[in-house]
Amino acid sequence: MSESDNRRPLAVFDIDNTLADTDHRQHFLERRPRDWDGFFGAAPADPPLARGIALAVESAAECEVAYLTGRPERCRADTAEWLTRHGLPEGKLWMRGNQDRRPARTTKLEALKRISRGREVRMLVDDDELVCGAARAAGFRVVLADWAADAPELEEAQEREGRT
C-alpha cells in the first residue's frame, strides 16, 4: 500500500467569500485603478462565513481539509493566521504566485489536477461559478458556496485580472 492509499481524501476549500466574508473590503476594488494592496491588507479583518466554516469543520470528520485560494503568496502569513483564529481545521494551503495573473478558473483547475494526481479530492468548495464549472467539467465534485453576498467587482477581478 502506498503512502497516498493511507491518507484520507481531501476536501478543498476556497477562502474569499467561501470561508471569509470580503464584503467590508470590496470598496478597494470599486476604484480605478483597483487598490490591491488595500484589498489584501484588509483581509485579516474578514468576518467568518458561518456556513462555510461549518462545512469545513464537518468535512474534517471524513476528509483532510485543505485550502486553495487565489490570494497571492505574499498573503500566506495573514491567511494562515486567519484560518487558525477562526477555528478551521489545519490543512495545506495552496496560493497563487505573486505575479500570476491568470484567471482563477485556470490557476485553480491546474492546482486541483496536480493535487489529485496523488490524492483523492472528495470535493471542491468555491464561490466562483467559473471555477466550479471548470472543476465540474474536469470530473471533480463541486459545492458552490452561494452563501456570501454578491461581489461583482471581485468576480470581475478573478476572471479578468487574475488577482484572487
Side-chain angles (χ1 to χ4, degrees):
M1 186 181 278
S2 74
E3 179 184 331
S4 63
D5 292 334
N6 280 332
R7 295 191 284 180
R8 299 185 311 158
L10 286 171
V12 180
F13 284 79
D14 172 45
I15 297 173
D16 290 338
N17 285 335
T18 298
L19 300 172
D21 187 349
T22 67
D23 191 53
H24 73 102
R25 53 187 171 111
Q26 291 301 313
H27 64 94
F28 290 109
L29 302 183
E30 293 166 0
R31 45 180 91 146
R32 298 291 184 267
R34 298 182 199 273
D35 180 0
W36 289 104
D37 288 338
F39 180 76
F40 289 120
D46 288 354
L49 289 165
R51 285 182 57 194
I53 302 287
L55 184 56
V57 171
E58 288 168 20
S59 297
E62 292 186 15
C63 298
E64 180 180 330
V65 174
Y67 306 95
L68 175 60
T69 180
R71 291 180 183 188
E73 185 64 44
R74 70 180 182 274
C75 299
R76 180 173 291 276
D78 284 346
T79 302
E81 191 279 328
W82 188 94
L83 293 168
T84 299
R85 181 167 22 106
H86 292 289
L88 283 141
E90 281 188 38
K92 185 152 176 66
L93 174 60
W94 288 281
M95 303 186 81
R96 174 191 297 273
N98 285 331
Q99 302 306 315
D100 190 342
R101 300 288 188 266
R102 295 174 297 153
R105 72 181 188 286
T106 302
T107 59
K108 287 187 176 182
L109 184 59
E110 187 179 276
L112 274 175
K113 287 179 176 179
R114 193 171 51 248
I115 294 163
S116 69
R117 280 190 214 125
R119 193 80 181 267
E120 175 194 348
V121 174
R122 174 82 44 95
M123 69 176 163
L124 168 70
V125 183
D126 201 298
D127 69 305
D128 185 324
E129 291 185 30
L130 294 172
V131 169
C132 289
R136 195 175 291 114
F140 292 97
R141 181 174 173 259
V142 172
V143 174
L144 176 64
D146 59 1
W147 43 80
D150 285 339
E153 293 292 335
L154 181 58
E155 290 171 20
E156 180 183 332
Q158 289 171 325
E159 183 56 24
R160 295 208 170 109
E161 297 179 35
R163 294 292 194 134
T164 185

